[in-house]
Amino acid sequence: MEILLVEDDPGDVLMTREAFEDHRVPNNVSVVGDGVSALEFLRKQGQYAKAPTPDLVLLDLNLPKMDGMEVLAVAKGDPMLRHIPVVVLTTSDAQEDVVGSYSLHANAYVTKPVDFDRFIDVVRQIDDFFVSVVRLPGR
């Protein structure tokens, strides 16, 4: 499974990679650190011309250059990208962020736990769900 992690916090990138690496199902996790790069990756532009098409996007909302809500709006408004599931994985538990994300057609909204073990568990559950339970486009 190809996963695009859109995250600017190096600690969260490390924990997310660790959760996927220690899990039973191997995944290829690509990482970009801002919203502009996320869209370039998804559209295979510039340095991302040979990037794999992700089966799943894990999207933080608090990003430099272009925030996660803007990335979500553009991706879900693009006929070539809208089929890719997007899980918002963010520290925000604000109701307006939850409602806004679902209004923009996020497939799920997950608040990052602050506890390391719980964070690892949440990422593994996301992986289990999208690998073992749901059927993704093109698979």
Side-chain angles (χ1 to χ4, degrees), residues 56-106:
L56 175 66
V57 175
L58 299 179
L59 177 66
D60 189 18
L61 291 182
N62 304 311
L63 297 168
K65 297 186 183 179
M66 176 185 281
D67 72 31
M69 287 287 193
E70 292 172 291
V71 172
L72 185 59
V74 172
K76 290 301 183 175
D78 185 325
M80 299 300 293
L81 304 175
R82 70 173 53 133
H83 70 281
I84 301 171
V86 177
V87 174
V88 173
L89 182 62
T90 189
T91 55
S92 173
D93 63 356
Q95 187 63 22
E96 60 267 20
D97 287 339
V98 176
V99 171
S101 295
Y102 283 117
S103 295
L104 294 171
H105 307 288

Side-chain angles (χ1 to χ4, degrees), residues 108-124:
Y109 189 101
V110 179
T111 303
K112 293 178 193 172
V114 292
D115 174 76
F116 174 77
D117 291 329
R118 183 73 184 117
F119 183 89
I120 297 292
D121 188 47
V122 164
V123 171
R124 287 180 180 161

Side-chain angles (χ1 to χ4, degrees), residues 2 37-54 80-81 84:
E2 295 288 339
S37 296
L39 290 174
E40 288 174 352
F41 187 100
L42 289 168
R43 291 177 169 158
K44 300 179 186 291
Q45 296 173 331
Q47 67 178 324
Y48 304 108
K50 295 184 185 210
T53 300
M80 299 300 293
L81 304 175
I84 301 171

